Each structure stands twice: as C-alpha cells, then as structure tokens.
Amino acid sequence: MNGRLTSAQPYALGLFRMVVGLLFACHGAVSLLGLFGGTNGNGGTVGTGAWPGWYAAVIELVGGGLVLLGLATRAAAFISSGAMAYAYFKVHQPEALWPIENHGESAAIYCWAMFLLIFTGSGAFGLDRLLARRASARDGQPAEHTPVTA
C-alpha cells in the first residue's frame, strides 16, 4: 500500500497544485475583474494601484494562474506565499491572535500551501515538467526525473 501511495505522489501533488492555483486565482479575479460578485457583491473591483488590495489581487490572479498551469511554479509560489504572509500579519493578525478570530484562515492556508509548493515544485501535469522534458530531449540529454519523496 505504501508503495502505491508513493508512486502516486507526483499526481496527487499536481492535482493539489492545480486546485490551489485555481482557487487562488479566483480571489484575484474577484478583486480585479469583479467576477463572482466582485468585492462588494455587485461586481465591484478594487481601485487600480490601491495599496495593498490591488497589488495583492494582481499577485493572486497572476500567481494563481501560473501555479494552476505549473509554469514557473516555485517562483510564483514564493511570491504568493510572501503576499499571503504579509496579508495575514498586516491585515488580519492585528485584529486578533487566532486566524479563526481574525478571519485570516484563507491567508494562512494559502501562505502555507504556496510555501509547500516552493519546495515540491509542480508535480505531475505541470508545464514546468513538460518544458524541461522537451528541452532535455532537444539537447539529447536524458530528462531529469526527480520524484517527490517524503
């Protein structure tokens, strides 16, 4: 059983990355594009250049999209994790100590999920892996296959 789960790890990680990236990008789409009801429930958006909301929304939309696609996953996850750490400590934590009290659960979860992706990479199904495989085939070198293990 343990062997089967270990062999499926890159695929589970790839699915995890895609779900986290999609949900993260949706947060940016709400603030930047007014989708899903927008910031005020009537399609409202944050003002262009407004600190920190507009910048956070750009990071959410672009970073989430890159993570979803598995393209520049580690860099996008690094920036996204930092943005969510900032959001938690500057916006939520001053309201109360615990995330459940200060409504910072999503910032904390996204921060740690993106932090995990910095170290694991895109897993299966990512464009990072596809591009690396194509480049190594073009150069005549064997593709580097580094499975994620615990």
Side-chain angles (χ1 to χ4, degrees), residues 19-40 44-46 53-65 80 84 87 92 103-111 114:
V19 169
V20 168
L22 176 65
L23 295 175
F24 198 63
C26 286
H27 277 277
V30 166
S31 299
L32 284 179
L33 308 174
L35 298 178
F36 310 113
T39 56
N40 61 2
T45 61
V46 294
W54 185 83
Y55 295 94
V58 169
I59 291 171
E60 290 166 354
L61 185 62
V62 174
S80 298
M84 290 299 98
H92 297 286
H103 306 289
E105 302 99 329
S106 62
I109 289 291
Y110 281 124
C111 177
M114 293 296 186

Side-chain angles (χ1 to χ4, degrees), residues 3-30:
R4 282 189 185 159
L5 291 174
T6 301
S7 66
Q9 192 172 25
Y11 303 103
L13 180 61
L15 291 172
F16 172 80
R17 173 193 46 80
M18 292 185 333
V19 169
V20 168
L22 176 65
L23 295 175
F24 198 63
C26 286
H27 277 277
V30 166

Side-chain angles (χ1 to χ4, degrees), residues 134-148:
R134 283 189 180 173
S136 64
R138 184 179 55 238
D139 296 340
Q141 299 173 354
E144 181 182 332
H145 183 61
T146 55
V148 178

Side-chain angles (χ1 to χ4, degrees), residues 82-101:
M84 290 299 98
Y86 178 87
Y88 182 76
F89 287 109
K90 285 298 208 174
V91 177
H92 297 286
Q93 200 276 329
E95 299 296 318
L97 178 63
W98 296 102
I100 197 72
E101 295 175 315

